[in-house]
Amino acid sequence: MADERVVSVKLEQIEQYHGELKTKQESLSRSEFLGSTTEQRAVERMFENAIQACSDLANHIATTDFDFDGSSAKGALRVLQQADVIDEETMTTLLAAVGFRNVLAHEYGHVDPDEVYETLQTGLTVYDEYSRQIAQWFRDSA
């Protein structure tokens, strides 16, 4: 069974990072964001942290409750969807987010500031939805 402390800490981290991103979403105009490398890097790091916390939580649950081998964040998310812990839309959005995190963290490709800003404006609801689904599953399985 997933460790309640780990689940709680990861959900708190997701909430914290989501809150930080939400503050930037509400306070930064496109021109301010695009004109400030510091703001771009700060938002990129917030996304990395939020996505990593989601990945860590998925991996913890998938390995402890569903015999997943822990081989990849994307694999863990797929396991959670197949086990009806999260819905397909949430899984699909987070799979894309993990790819986005990999680009940000490992510089696999060029980071487009316009894409980051667009994600900031339109891509934050998944964190609340994921947290809600995980918490509901945890309550139901306890």
Side-chain angles (χ1 to χ4, degrees), residues 10 15-16 20 22 38 40-41 48-49 57 73 80 94 101-102 107 109 119 123 127 142:
K10 289 301 171 185
E15 183 179 340
Q16 174 191 340
E20 292 169 359
K22 192 79 173 150
T38 301
Q40 291 171 28
R41 289 185 179 148
E48 285 180 53
N49 289 341
L57 182 53
L80 295 189
L94 285 174
R101 185 222 41 214
N102 289 342
E107 298 180 3
T119 302
Y127 302 107

Side-chain angles (χ1 to χ4, degrees), residues 14-29:
I14 294 166
E15 183 179 340
Q16 174 191 340
Y17 302 137
H18 175 258
E20 292 169 359
L21 285 163
K22 192 79 173 150
T23 297
K24 291 296 186 181
Q25 178 191 54
E26 294 167 355
S27 67
L28 276 177
S29 70

